[in-house]
Amino acid sequence: MMLSMMILSPRQPGNVINVYLSPLIEDLKKLRDEGVLVFDGFRNETFQMCAMLFCTINDFLAYGNLSGYSVKGHHAYPICEEDISYIQLKRGRKIVYTRHRRFLKPHHPYRRLKKAFNGS
């Protein structure tokens, strides 16, 4: 079984995402705790089915909304947390995250592209 949900709006729901998610959460709790009566067409009988949510697939902004983690601003990358490296562009308010080469293997081809990076 697969459940899909898209929230169509010119703006993201932000903190009011619980309006969209609360019916889903109630249904998931019922599936986990009590189960629901389901008809099996092959055996021609009904049975009590219990289920649970295994994983979700989201884009980065949805991940921030669902987890409550900030995905904007200076500390927007959850893996690095406090060890994040960023610079703010002078002509604009964009934040650029740097030092990604540190995660590459020692002999990765990008490590030789020193002119393409700012040296840090």
Side-chain angles (χ1 to χ4, degrees):
M1 176 171 84
M2 187 170 106
L3 172 72
S4 294
M5 183 169 89
M6 287 189 86
I7 301 170
L8 299 175
S9 171
R11 298 179 56 183
Q12 67 180 13
N15 293 335
V16 295
I17 191 137
N18 59 348
V19 170
Y20 296 98
L21 293 181
S22 56
L24 172 66
I25 291 171
E26 292 302 316
D27 288 346
L28 287 171
K29 284 181 182 178
K30 182 177 180 181
L31 275 172
R32 181 194 64 199
D33 298 337
E34 309 166 21
V36 292
L37 201 57
V38 177
F39 179 74
D40 183 353
F42 182 74
R43 293 187 178 170
N44 205 17
E45 61 185 30
T46 58
F47 68 96
Q48 195 75 12
M49 180 183 76
C50 294
M52 64 181 270
L53 180 65
F54 178 70
C55 67
T56 63
I57 300 172
N58 317 312
D59 64 3
F60 199 58
L61 294 174
Y63 164 73
N65 275 343
L66 293 174
S67 68
Y69 197 90
S70 173
V71 292
K72 300 173 185 170
H74 293 209
H75 296 285
Y77 194 58
I79 294 172
C80 294
E81 295 276 336
E82 297 298 321
D83 193 29
I84 197 163
S85 176
Y86 62 88
I87 56 173
Q88 190 158 356
L89 299 179
K90 293 177 184 174
R91 294 197 171 111
R93 297 184 178 188
K94 299 239 181 223
I95 297 171
V96 179
Y97 302 98
T98 58
R99 292 183 43 214
H100 285 67
R101 287 193 306 165
R102 62 186 161 153
F103 299 113
L104 297 175
K105 294 179 181 177
H107 299 292
H108 194 279
Y110 282 177
R111 288 197 176 269
R112 291 186 293 243
L113 300 174
K114 295 194 188 289
K115 289 183 180 178
F117 299 94
N118 68 357
S120 63

